[in-house]
Amino acid sequence: MLYKSTVVPVGEDQLTHLELARDLARAFNRQYGTLFPAFNSYIGYVPKIRSLKDPSSKMSKSDNNAASRIDLTDSSSTVRDKIAKAVTDAVSKDITFDPELRPGISNLIDICSALTGKSSEDIVKLTQDKGMDKKTFKEFVTETVNESIQPISSEMQRILSDRGHLRSILKQGQERASVLAEETIKQVKTLVGLS
């Protein structure tokens, strides 16, 4: 609301917070006049990626077990080790998408889907066409993840290597955000009669 956003990228678990903010914006606009634009959530192709170690819970950077998640700073070999040890199941040797019966293998399919933009059905068909078993599928997931995150990881390392430049960028962003926030607060105070 403070920055008058119209699209807000969120995870599935943040939708209730966004609904509350949307309700507050509508109530304010009704009471004092339109200030806050209508905004919508944006949820990526896969709404929730699950833990590699416990597919009943979401993947989280706050999980104490580093093997439960893929970090953007993970090396290629670390990603390989984490995915190789990811929980799957003994239901079938085939790769099938069934989040209820096969949450672990379905999570790996979701990861591939999120990174490639292909549907879970397309990922499953690809595994079938190539005759993949769980081991070769995990190798495919590893390759897909590494191709996606290694350029990000390299860029993060490059940016973090110049702390002075990074602090300068953060300061510029803070200044721009402050200007926008102060203007919105000023408009709110005017509309509610506090200026």
Side-chain angles (χ1 to χ4, degrees), residues 73-184:
T73 55
D74 282 346
S75 68
S76 296
S77 61
T78 300
V79 169
R80 182 187 62 242
D81 292 345
K82 288 179 177 182
I83 292 174
K85 295 174 185 173
V87 171
T88 55
D89 59 59
V91 172
S92 170
K93 291 180 182 180
D94 296 327
I95 307 303
T96 59
F97 186 77
D98 186 338
E100 295 299 317
L101 289 176
R102 305 189 75 192
I105 204 77
S106 296
N107 186 44
L108 295 177
I109 293 168
D110 277 342
I111 290 169
C112 280
S113 180
L115 294 174
T116 64
K118 295 179 181 175
S119 70
S120 56
E121 293 82 10
D122 289 342
I123 300 295
V124 169
K125 183 173 181 341
L126 175 74
T127 67
Q128 292 167 347
D129 291 347
K130 294 191 175 200
M132 291 185 196
D133 59 11
K134 284 184 219 168
K135 183 176 186 265
T136 54
F137 178 59
K138 284 184 173 185
E139 291 167 358
F140 172 73
V141 174
T142 297
E143 185 179 313
T144 301
V145 170
N146 279 331
E147 285 176 3
S148 297
I149 72 166
Q150 290 314 311
I152 296 167
S153 178
S154 295
E155 183 65 6
M156 284 176 62
Q157 291 171 7
R158 186 191 69 75
I159 290 169
L160 290 171
S161 70
D162 186 351
R163 297 286 180 167
H165 181 64
L166 182 58
R167 278 191 285 279
S168 170
I169 291 170
L170 290 171
K171 187 173 188 301
Q172 290 171 12
Q174 177 189 14
E175 290 168 356
R176 288 177 53 208
S178 292
V179 168
L180 293 172
E182 288 170 12
E183 179 59 29
T184 301

Side-chain angles (χ1 to χ4, degrees), residues 62-76:
S62 61
D63 191 320
N64 289 333
N65 184 354
S68 70
R69 65 182 177 273
I70 304 294
D71 293 315
L72 292 176
T73 55
D74 282 346
S75 68
S76 296

